[in-house]
Amino acid sequence: MKDPDRESPDIRQAIEADERLVHSVQEGVRQYQELLESADSRAIAIMLTIWHLSGAQRLANEKAFAELDLPVNVGGNRLTILRTLYFAPERRMAVANLSRETGLTVSWVTSLVETLGQAGLVRRMGSTEDRRVSIVCLTPEGEEAFRGIVPAMGRAMAESCRDLSEKEKEQLLTLLHRIF
């Protein structure tokens, strides 16, 4: 085994991050076991690890997006809105449908659209068929921003799975589908 002190700073940092994650998950499991008489420690560890890794992936995406110099942070749910609109027919969708597609509440979608609209990435307008319906359209700037985000996001996702073989990726994907 290699001596961590002789590794590069990036490798040392990764090892330290792994150790912090393991400690955090172990501490979380201990805390749940104190509260729950019949706690399934492995299930708790799995879900806490997924939660931590999800946060780490979100941070990696946001770091990659920051380099794109967009007018607004497009991480998290803002990205979900942009992605959904990008792949929607004519790059537009009613707010209620956007809510259904993304699993976000109508009020949350409205708030996200407001922020993205102020940045010039989406535009909101009324429906010509029904005055009660609000339509959100991706602007040309929004399309360009999303096309710029995709390679950065792809690199961040590939990096997170770099140490897994294709077989391991398939196994992990199968297991995650069984959980969710």
Side-chain angles (χ1 to χ4, degrees):
M1 187 165 125
K2 293 183 178 181
D3 179 2
D5 293 330
R6 298 189 64 193
E7 298 289 348
S8 74
D10 289 343
I11 293 173
R12 255 194 325 277
Q13 187 177 11
I15 291 168
E16 290 167 2
D18 286 348
E19 289 169 355
R20 283 192 305 272
L21 172 62
V22 169
H23 175 72
S24 177
V25 168
Q26 287 172 338
E27 183 62 17
V29 168
R30 186 193 62 73
Q31 291 167 341
Y32 277 97
Q33 286 175 325
E34 285 179 4
L35 295 173
L36 302 171
E37 203 171 291
S38 61
D40 180 343
S41 61
R42 291 201 190 273
I44 293 167
I46 289 167
M47 297 313 292
L48 288 176
T49 301
I50 290 170
W51 184 43
H52 283 287
L53 295 176
S54 173
Q57 185 64 49
R58 187 174 47 254
L59 289 174
N61 284 348
E62 288 179 9
K63 181 180 176 187
F65 300 160
E67 296 171 5
L68 298 174
D69 198 32
L70 297 172
V72 67
N73 176 337
V74 292
N77 290 327
R78 289 184 191 131
L79 175 62
T80 300
I81 298 294
L82 287 178
R83 183 182 60 234
T84 303
L85 288 171
Y86 188 84
F87 292 110
E90 299 179 26
R91 309 244 198 273
R92 64 180 58 215
M93 189 176 282
V95 169
N97 293 343
L98 196 50
S99 170
R100 251 190 315 280
E101 283 288 316
T102 60
L104 302 169
T105 65
V106 170
S107 61
W108 188 232
V109 167
T110 301
S111 174
L112 294 166
V113 165
E114 172 98 8
T115 304
L116 291 168
Q118 290 170 354
L121 302 178
V122 301
R123 186 178 74 247
R124 190 172 170 172
M125 58 191 210
S127 168
T128 56
E129 290 101 34
D130 187 341
R131 291 182 356 178
R132 298 168 296 174
V133 175
S134 184
I135 306 291
V136 182
C137 306
L138 200 58
T139 64
E141 294 81 9
E143 287 185 43
E144 183 181 334
F146 186 77
R147 282 193 302 272
I149 288 167
V150 171
M153 197 167 61
R155 285 189 301 274
M157 287 188 275
E159 179 65 20
S160 69
C161 295
R162 74 182 178 283
D163 294 333
L164 298 176
S165 70
E166 289 305 310
K167 183 177 179 181
E168 289 169 327
K169 289 177 193 175
E170 188 61 39
Q171 289 171 330
L172 179 56
L173 189 57
T174 298
L175 293 170
L176 288 172
H177 282 217
R178 285 178 54 192
I179 291 172
F180 299 104

